[in-house]
Amino acid sequence: MSNRTKFKLQNLQVYLKKNIFNGRYLVRNILAVTVLISVISVIYGVGSLANNKKENETDSNTEAAYVAKEEAPVIDLNDTSRLNAESISILMADMDAGSDIDVEAKDTEMLTEAYKEFENKCVSISDNVNVRADADTDSQIVGKMNNGAVAVINSTEGEWLNITSGDVTGYVNSEFVKTGNDAFDYAKDFYSITAVVTEDGVNVRKEATTSSDVIAAAYTGIAYEVDKEATDAVTDWVCISIDSTNKGYVSARFMEVTEGYPEAVAYDIASTSEENKEENSSNKKEDKSKQNTQKEEKQETTEATTQTTTESVPEATTQTTTESVPEATTEAQVTDNQTTVEVTARGSVALSEADINLMAAVMTLECGNESYEGQLAVANVILNRLQSGRWGSTMSDVVYAPNQFTVVNLASFNTYISPSCLQAAREACAGTNNIGGYMSFRPVSNVNTSNLGSYTIIGNHCFF
């Protein structure tokens, strides 16, 4: 050790003895050291607590991130080892299950609302259900409800329901209707979307464009069934059913679309009462003359079939006239009693639009699948019956005559009218007659022609 270092150590020793370890300053120095140590300890303690808290928060965040990473499914499209048909099927099944629950919940909600709507409604379960002015079978009929027609129930009186359907308000017997949830379950099959044209003879086109081919014409007074799906797929056009198999498009500006359930049809009280009075007063006369009329008809038929001409083969030709139809003269060529009736002109028959539509409704079900010539023939049969007066004095009498046009008892009657049948009905009313005075027709397969004095066959029908 150098002398210089030894000298410094000696000076330090003297300093410590004099200032630090001197009894005079010893207590002060101990206190000072104690305070210094305490301050250092406090500072160190606070720093340790802060570090521990930060470390704990970091550890918590790390753990949460790790858990989230474990719970959240991650699909790595580059990792083909985890992508297989089974895993994809499981994933899709989970997604479909969620979708099905949502759809079922929505369907249940809609069904509940529909049931609530029918809490105070009823639906007819057969055709021609009478709506009466009072809760009595002897009271006046004010309307008719066909199968599927829906009405609001205003009140209940025993077995009678006071209802309002369309423009008709009256009473129906509860035996012929369903109510509540049963009413909705029954009526939903009759819900429909229909449309009527605002102008007569509007073009029906194959496609929803003015450059498309015209396949038919739509007429006023007919409710056409609307294809909602096809209509929603286009703009400014309405897709309608022309007949049971064909559809076409009509410009929306010519169509009025209605959506809902069928309603009751008002009954003409005044005309019905007048017809009943007239019918009651003439019943006796008709009963007395019925047998004489039948005898005269047989006699006329015999005379018509036995009269011969020299223009054809002897004993196989007859000449017939249509004396029962005024202003119409028809010549017929006959071979083995089958006639070929030429088209002639009769006097025009003035009918209301409602009567023409009723006439066409019958034709739609009776001969809708026949040729236009066959439809025109059926139209003339109906007019011949009307003019004869044997089945009544109104179109309604003729159409609803007992055991005649049985199609009026079908649920589908008067729900759709064939445009071609409507046109044939109008042409017949205008005076075109292609079957002379014949007033009956049947399917050819159901007729024994050997029992007929004269007849003609058009399509699948035999007219006589």
Side-chain angles (χ1 to χ4, degrees):
M1 183 180 295
S2 65
N3 292 328
R4 184 180 179 85
T5 303
K6 290 180 180 179
F7 179 73
K8 289 181 177 181
L9 290 174
Q10 289 175 356
N11 288 337
L12 177 63
Q13 184 178 4
V14 172
Y15 178 80
L16 292 173
K17 287 180 180 180
K18 183 180 179 180
N19 296 292
I20 301 300
F21 298 105
N22 188 334
R24 182 181 176 182
Y25 301 109
L26 182 61
V27 175
R28 182 196 67 179
N29 292 337
I30 292 173
L31 290 175
V33 171
T34 303
V35 170
L36 179 62
I37 293 174
S38 298
V39 171
I40 293 174
S41 298
V42 170
I43 293 173
Y44 179 79
V46 172
S48 296
L49 289 175
N51 288 334
N52 289 337
K53 183 177 181 181
K54 185 174 181 180
E55 289 177 358
N56 291 336
E57 290 178 353
T58 301
D59 292 342
S60 299
N61 293 335
T62 302
E63 183 179 357
Y66 178 74
V67 172
K69 184 177 181 181
E70 281 189 336
E71 292 179 351
V74 178
I75 299 177
D76 185 2
L77 297 179
N78 295 320
D79 186 3
T80 57
S81 64
R82 295 188 179 184
L83 288 177
N84 52 55
E86 182 179 0
S87 61
I88 293 176
S89 297
I90 293 173
L91 178 61
M92 293 301 295
D94 290 341
M95 294 175 64
D96 290 341
S99 299
D100 290 342
I101 292 174
D102 292 339
V103 171
E104 289 176 2
K106 187 174 181 180
D107 289 345
T108 301
E109 181 180 356
M110 293 177 64
L111 190 61
T112 302
E113 291 298 322
Y115 282 142
K116 286 182 179 179
E117 180 188 356
F118 271 77
E119 284 180 352
N120 66 328
K121 292 185 178 180
C122 65
V123 57
S124 171
I125 58 176
S126 64
D127 283 326
N128 294 319
V129 174
N130 293 326
V131 183
R132 297 185 179 273
D134 298 306
D136 190 342
T137 55
D138 294 329
S139 67
Q140 180 66 53
I141 297 174
V142 296
K144 295 276 188 179
M145 291 179 68
N146 285 326
N147 198 17
V150 173
V152 176
I153 301 174
N154 301 321
S155 61
T156 302
E157 297 183 17
E159 62 180 5
W160 292 87
L161 304 177
N162 180 264
I163 59 96
T164 297
S165 180
D167 297 329
V168 179
T169 297
Y171 292 84
V172 295
N173 194 302
S174 59
E175 178 184 353
F176 304 105
V177 298
K178 287 182 179 290
T179 60
N181 292 352
D182 292 338
F184 171 74
D185 291 335
Y186 190 87
K188 63 184 180 181
D189 294 332
F190 294 89
Y191 189 89
S192 64
I193 305 176
T194 58
V196 296
V197 293
T198 56
E199 296 183 15
D200 213 20
V202 176
N203 289 333
V204 181
R205 299 183 180 273
K206 185 176 182 180
E207 303 293 340
T209 172
T210 54
S211 60
S212 180
D213 294 337
V214 176
I215 58 177
Y219 298 93
T220 57
I222 303 176
Y224 294 93
E225 183 179 351
V226 175
D227 185 326
K228 187 176 188 303
E229 184 176 350
T231 300
D232 291 342
V234 297
T235 304
D236 298 329
W237 292 85
V238 178
C239 181
I240 63 172
S241 294
I242 304 169
D243 51 40
S244 58
T245 57
N246 297 311
K247 297 179 181 179
Y249 293 85
V250 178
S251 176
R253 72 176 186 270
F254 298 114
M255 302 294 286
E256 291 182 356
V257 179
T258 302
E259 185 173 355
Y261 299 96
E263 296 178 338
V265 178
Y267 205 65
D268 192 343
I269 300 176
S271 63
T272 301
S273 300
E274 188 64 29
E275 289 168 10
N276 288 338
K277 291 178 182 178
E278 184 178 344
E279 183 178 354
N280 291 333
S281 64
S282 62
N283 275 341
K284 293 183 179 180
K285 294 181 180 180
E286 290 182 359
D287 291 339
K288 291 181 180 179
S289 62
K290 183 179 278 188
Q291 294 181 352
N292 293 334
T293 302
Q294 292 175 349
K295 291 180 180 179
E296 290 174 1
E297 289 173 356
K298 291 181 180 179
Q299 184 176 357
E300 289 175 1
T301 302
T302 302
E303 292 175 355
T305 56
T306 56
Q307 184 176 358
T308 60
T309 68
T310 58
E311 296 176 355
S312 305
V313 180
E315 300 181 357
T317 304
T318 66
Q319 182 176 356
T320 62
T321 60
T322 56
E323 297 176 354
S324 59
V325 183
E327 303 181 30
T329 302
T330 304
E331 292 184 356
Q333 296 176 348
V334 184
T335 303
D336 294 334
N337 294 338
Q338 181 175 350
T339 65
T340 302
V341 182
E342 297 179 357
V343 177
T344 61
R346 73 155 85 231
S348 61
V349 180
L351 293 178
S352 66
E353 276 297 312
D355 283 345
I356 293 176
N357 288 339
L358 183 60
M359 182 176 169
V362 174
M363 294 165 57
T364 297
L365 297 181
E366 290 283 3
C367 60
N369 295 327
E370 295 294 311
S371 66
Y372 183 78
E373 182 185 9
Q375 294 172 358
L376 182 62
V378 172
N380 276 286
V381 164
I382 297 174
L383 291 183
N384 288 345
R385 289 189 171 205
L386 177 63
Q387 290 188 328
S388 74
R390 290 174 53 197
W391 287 271
S393 58
T394 67
M395 180 58 68
S396 181
D397 290 338
V398 173
V399 167
Y400 290 103
N403 303 320
Q404 297 303 311
F405 298 106
T406 56
V407 294
V408 299
N409 297 318
L410 299 177
S412 57
F413 175 65
N414 216 8
T415 59
Y416 168 75
I417 296 178
S418 164
S420 60
C421 287
L422 182 62
Q423 183 178 346
R426 286 176 172 163
E427 185 175 350
C429 289
T432 303
N433 182 6
N434 64 339
I435 49 104
Y438 292 137
M439 290 188 285
S440 297
F441 69 94
R442 290 180 184 174
V444 175
S445 58
N446 294 340
V447 177
N448 183 359
T449 57
S450 62
N451 295 330
L452 301 177
S454 65
Y455 63 93
T456 188
I457 293 177
I458 301 177
N460 296 310
H461 286 145
C462 175
F463 297 83
F464 55 93

